[in-house]
Amino acid sequence: MQYLCLIYSDESQWPGLPKAEHERVLGEYHAYTDDIQRSGHLVGANRLEPTSAATAVRVRNGRVSTTDGPFAETKEQLGGYYLLEARDLNEAIQLAARIPGARYGCIEVRPVMEMKR
């Protein structure tokens, strides 16, 4: 079964990190990604641009409207994700707990619902 691990953290913290700390955290992400790729758990992963690059799209009464940037005031923002293959929720949680961002923010683990056609 596939699980989407959504990585939330306070994106305002990252620009202020000392260069050595920033590189250490990125190295941890690279090592984690390599490990889950070798183990066969990795389906996909990406880092997201900051919320300032986001556009919210809504359709109301047939009209499309867009809003630039963040549309909700929250302490933590979605910064990236891993799409994992795991036996069950327990294994997905164990894999998510190893994501470096779990120490700085929150990892939301959600089962992926298969689309039936």
Side-chain angles (χ1 to χ4, degrees), residues 34-98:
D34 290 346
D35 185 49
I36 62 172
Q37 188 169 29
R38 279 192 304 275
S39 70
H41 290 101
L42 180 65
V43 177
N46 278 299
R47 184 176 177 184
L48 301 176
E49 292 289 339
T51 55
S52 60
T55 302
V57 178
R58 293 177 177 81
V59 178
R60 301 292 185 269
N61 299 319
R63 290 193 60 187
V64 176
S65 67
T66 61
T67 305
D68 292 338
F71 57 93
E73 289 292 324
T74 62
K75 184 174 179 166
E76 297 177 330
Q77 297 80 33
L78 178 61
Y81 67 89
Y82 283 96
L83 181 58
L84 304 177
E85 184 70 40
R87 282 186 313 274
D88 54 29
L89 180 60
N90 288 331
E91 183 179 40
I93 290 170
Q94 293 303 312
L95 292 165
R98 293 176 36 219

Side-chain angles (χ1 to χ4, degrees), residues 94-108:
Q94 293 303 312
L95 292 165
R98 293 176 36 219
I99 296 172
R103 294 192 316 270
Y104 307 101
C106 170
I107 310 299
E108 179 182 346

